[in-house]
Amino acid sequence: IAAERSSWVKSTYISYDTALLAAKAHEALMARTGELAAEAARFDRLQLDPVVRRKLKLLKLSLSLPAPRDAKQRAELAGIATKLEGIYGKGKVCSKRLAVAWKRAEKAKKLPDNNCLSLGQLGTVLAKSTNYDVLLEAWTKWREVSIPMRKDFARYIELANAGARSLGFKNLGDLWKSRYDMKPSAFEAEVDRLWGQVKPLYDDLHCFVRARLQKRFGKKRVPDGAPIPAHLLGNMWSQSWAKLHKRLLPEPRAGAVSIEKGLKRKKTDERAMVRYGEGFFASLGLTKLPASFWQRSMFKKPRDRDVVCHASAWDLDWQADLRIKMCIDIDDENFSVIHHELGHNYYQYYYRDQPPLFRDSANDGFHEGLGDTIALSVTPTYLKKLGLLRRLPRGELNTLMKRALDKVAFLPFGIMIDKWRWDVFAGKVKPADYNKAWWALRTRYQGIAPPVARSEDHFDPGAKYHIAGNVPYARYFLAAILQFQFHRALCKVAGHQGPLHTCSIYGNKAAGERLRKMMAMGLSRPWTEALEALTGENAMDASAFIDYFKPLHVWLKKQNKGRKCGW
């Protein structure tokens, strides 16, 4: 709890002193947890009650960054972890051309101070500008922020692996993979199996998007049969292509679904955005958020200090001190993100009565997937009920395309982040090849390539928060699959008739009760049992994902006839 509170202050008041305090608290947490985990390892070979055995195992797996036993090394690791996140959080890019592009994109009255842009402002430029050179500058300059991380990251790998080995794991990657109630190798195989189910859909989306980008930028810059340049996809990491959706609509005359006008019409502020999310959960028969949530959360970027704007949900006392930390923009994307983050908070609330080691989701993909499951119910029908849409859209393919550019486009990014780290932790990728290996995986899985030459003087992995912040990433890939499996099951409970993508469980108490029971299980049972409690199935399955996007996939295949797909 002390470490959580220190981390909250450090994330919402970035300074030299808060970084030191957070590092100290993190060091103490690593030290005590390391001691308890080491003690737990003593009982590995004993026959024990299954519940006790599970608790001891979870104790060994409880830290994403286990500390070495040596006190000096432990302090060094805590300091590096805090430093890397601080570099990321304070990152800015100063450029007159980019400042002007941002002002034009936002229709702002003045340029940002000193022409310096935050990551969020750079994201706006990438999403809205169509100038190839402006996009290139925004993409390239953000990757200068992460260059100073490279040396510290290599040392962090050494120290983190030492901590993992002290608990009986080969390396930190094996520790992370051991959290899924199966052997590390079996978990890797499971990830590959799920990717195999969805890859054909991704390949067809990639082919279609590349063809559309060729029309805008020309085949010389976006050639056939080649990876897409990474700066052209509307997102700093090419993990979501949703910002391009207006240029990619299957039915352009029908228009795109957007609630931004509705939000402005209702004079919606940041707090009201969150109220919409709370209202969804309350409609399912779940409790309202505690008063302290509204008093202590950060909804808006402060003007007077640096903060980590990356959206996150917090449970500071393992009981009811729930919060979110976001720099909310009043737009479609943030509306869905809020529903996602509140999914974390509600999960945290409903497993609060479990013993401490069971106060978590069935696996980390469940935590991420639950909030996204709710976001899938943010359908045009739901938005019309809220008065944010005046009429239902005519083109259902447009709605599916917008969601596919987020959900489908994310899949290979979700798989390659930890595949890169697993190889780094295992020593298969040496520090001298960090960037080379990073781009090899991005090209292999995503079919994208850097728009300019990259070398080992750069550290492009650090340009993504989850690398700098030591957040395991396989959970997001699992969540991308699980949310559709959850959604299909809850829609059946709600008695939905019709295509899966038209279902919203808003207002359905039976679906809410099914959710509540699963959330209350926490981590007390293997994830397969929690999955069965919610869906009636005991294995992860991407068929619901395929079902959801089937009308769009049929359309994409027709559009791609005669094209040279792949890369």
Side-chain angles (χ1 to χ4, degrees):
I1 293 171
E4 281 292 287
R5 296 201 185 284
S6 294
S7 184
W8 173 266
V9 174
K10 187 255 301 182
S11 294
T12 56
Y13 293 81
I14 297 175
S15 73
Y16 173 79
D17 293 305
T18 60
L20 282 180
L21 292 170
K24 193 71 176 175
H26 194 193
E27 180 187 349
L29 174 65
M30 286 195 299
R32 184 60 185 136
T33 308
E35 291 170 1
L36 292 169
E39 290 173 21
R42 293 167 51 209
F43 306 102
D44 282 351
R45 296 184 181 182
L46 293 186
Q47 293 293 322
L48 298 170
D49 173 84
V51 174
V52 174
R53 165 62 61 207
R54 185 168 182 80
K55 287 181 177 180
L56 290 169
K57 179 184 178 182
L58 292 172
L59 193 51
K60 293 198 301 176
L61 297 170
S62 58
L63 279 179
S64 293
L65 191 59
R69 294 184 181 177
D70 179 83
K72 288 184 179 179
Q73 291 185 341
R74 189 166 59 241
E76 183 185 2
L77 180 57
I80 289 174
T82 301
K83 179 181 177 182
L84 292 176
E85 190 171 5
I87 291 172
Y88 189 95
K90 291 186 289 186
K92 282 184 170 62
V93 167
C94 300
S95 161
K96 179 68 177 289
R97 179 163 65 168
L98 293 179
V100 170
W102 173 81
K103 181 185 175 186
R104 186 179 298 120
E106 284 285 51
K107 298 179 181 177
K109 293 181 179 179
K110 63 178 184 178
L111 296 172
D113 292 342
N114 301 317
N115 295 320
C116 293
L117 279 70
S118 67
L119 176 58
Q121 290 169 321
L122 289 170
T124 298
V125 173
L126 284 168
K128 295 186 177 182
S129 176
T130 56
N131 183 305
Y132 187 93
D133 294 325
V134 166
L135 296 173
L136 181 62
E137 183 177 355
W139 187 93
T140 305
K141 284 191 176 293
W142 176 248
R143 280 154 182 77
E144 293 176 6
V145 169
S146 56
I147 291 173
M149 298 181 191
R150 187 182 177 107
K151 184 177 179 182
D152 286 320
F153 186 83
R155 178 61 176 156
Y156 141 81
I157 295 295
E158 294 174 2
L159 295 169
N161 275 341
R165 284 194 296 270
S166 72
L167 300 177
F169 299 94
K170 292 180 181 178
N171 53 63
L172 185 56
D174 268 21
L175 185 153
W176 288 0
K177 287 179 281 185
S178 296
R179 292 173 167 169
Y180 298 96
D181 298 306
M182 59 179 72
K183 292 181 179 179
S185 58
F187 177 67
E188 284 196 67
E190 181 71 354
V191 168
D192 289 337
R193 179 185 68 81
L194 293 168
W195 169 239
Q197 283 186 276
V198 295
K199 185 178 184 297
L201 173 57
Y202 177 80
D203 288 348
D204 279 317
L205 181 66
H206 180 281
C207 189
F208 172 77
V209 170
R210 182 175 59 195
R212 284 290 181 93
L213 290 173
Q214 284 176 340
K215 289 184 178 180
R216 176 167 291 277
F217 297 107
K219 285 194 175 185
K220 186 175 181 180
R221 285 173 166 165
V222 188
D224 281 329
I228 298 171
H231 65 309
L232 301 181
L233 291 160
N235 175 269
M236 185 60 79
W237 310 279
S238 311
Q239 71 179 69
S240 169
W241 307 344
K243 294 295 185 181
L244 304 181
H245 77 275
K246 291 181 181 179
R247 308 173 212 170
L248 301 167
L249 295 178
E251 302 168 275
R253 292 183 181 179
V257 175
S258 175
I259 59 172
E260 291 183 27
K261 288 182 180 178
L263 292 169
K264 289 176 182 177
R265 185 176 67 248
K266 288 178 168 285
K267 298 180 180 179
T268 308
D269 62 10
E270 293 82 4
R271 186 172 290 258
M273 289 274 282
V274 183
R275 287 288 186 190
Y276 279 122
E278 180 193 43
F280 193 109
F281 287 90
S283 81
L284 302 176
L286 304 177
T287 188
K288 289 194 172 184
L289 293 161
S292 60
F293 171 89
W294 301 100
Q295 296 160 2
R296 300 169 186 170
S297 290
M298 187 188 87
F299 302 133
K300 190 173 183 178
K301 189 180 190 306
R303 295 181 179 181
D304 61 342
R305 63 185 189 269
D306 289 323
V307 299
V308 177
C309 273
H310 182 85
S312 54
W314 297 63
D315 176 13
L316 273 78
D317 66 355
W318 290 31
Q319 282 292 321
D321 191 353
L322 306 171
R323 309 180 192 182
I324 62 170
K325 174 186 62 61
M326 283 183 70
C327 302
I328 297 174
D329 291 323
I330 312 301
D331 62 18
D332 297 72
E333 180 181 5
N334 278 255
F335 193 82
S336 287
V337 170
I338 286 163
H339 286 70
H340 168 88
E341 295 301 339
L342 292 188
H344 288 298
N345 286 141
Y346 273 92
Y347 212 152
Q348 291 159 344
Y349 181 81
Y350 278 102
Y351 59 55
R352 72 192 187 285
D353 293 329
Q354 289 284 353
L357 285 164
F358 292 158
R359 290 179 201 170
D360 206 342
S361 58
N363 70 40
D364 50 14
F366 276 63
H367 231 313
E368 298 297 335
L370 186 129
D372 278 340
T373 299
I374 299 304
L376 288 177
S377 282
V378 179
T379 62
T381 302
Y382 163 62
L383 296 171
K384 188 172 183 294
K385 284 181 181 178
L386 298 182
L388 295 173
L389 287 180
R390 284 180 166 160
R391 62 184 64 87
L392 292 176
R394 290 181 287 117
E396 73 165 9
L397 285 179
N398 287 353
T399 302
L400 275 175
M401 174 61 83
K402 185 176 180 181
R403 186 150 271 167
L405 291 169
D406 184 28
K407 302 292 185 181
V408 179
F410 172 77
L411 292 168
F413 186 78
I415 200 174
M416 60 77 49
I417 291 268
D418 273 356
K419 279 188 172 286
W420 180 80
R421 280 193 291 201
W422 293 340
D423 285 347
V424 170
F425 288 134
K428 294 178 182 178
V429 172
K430 306 296 183 186
D433 294 318
Y434 279 165
N435 245 31
K436 178 183 176 182
W438 175 259
W439 283 107
L441 283 172
R442 297 206 70 179
T443 300
R444 175 185 170 189
Y445 284 99
Q446 287 185 275
I448 67 166
V452 291
R454 312 304 289 164
S455 74
E456 297 304 329
D457 292 330
H458 302 104
F459 184 57
D460 293 339
K464 177 64 180 169
Y465 170 76
H466 299 74
I467 299 290
N470 187 58
V471 180
Y473 212 78
R475 63 182 67 176
Y476 300 104
F477 175 76
L478 298 182
I481 303 298
L482 285 167
Q483 63 190 265
F484 290 90
Q485 195 170 356
F486 292 171
H487 183 61
R488 182 170 63 185
L490 292 172
C491 288
K492 287 180 181 177
V493 171
H496 172 73
Q497 301 292 321
L500 186 56
H501 67 272
T502 64
C503 169
S504 176
I505 62 168
Y506 179 70
N508 191 277
K509 302 294 193 294
E513 180 60 17
R514 182 73 71 93
L515 265 178
R516 187 197 64 76
K517 287 182 178 179
M518 189 276 285
M519 292 190 293
M521 292 172 67
L523 190 48
S524 63
R525 304 297 301 164
W527 65 263
T528 50
E529 294 183 29
L531 180 64
E532 192 164 11
L534 182 64
T535 68
E537 302 161 337
N538 62 10
M540 290 184 284
D541 177 28
S543 63
F545 193 108
I546 301 301
D547 289 346
Y548 187 95
F549 289 107
K550 186 175 181 179
L552 179 67
H553 198 186
V554 170
W555 182 86
L556 287 171
K557 284 181 177 295
K558 290 180 181 177
Q559 301 303 306
N560 289 334
K561 280 187 177 179
R563 288 178 179 154
K564 184 179 180 182
C565 295
W567 58 87

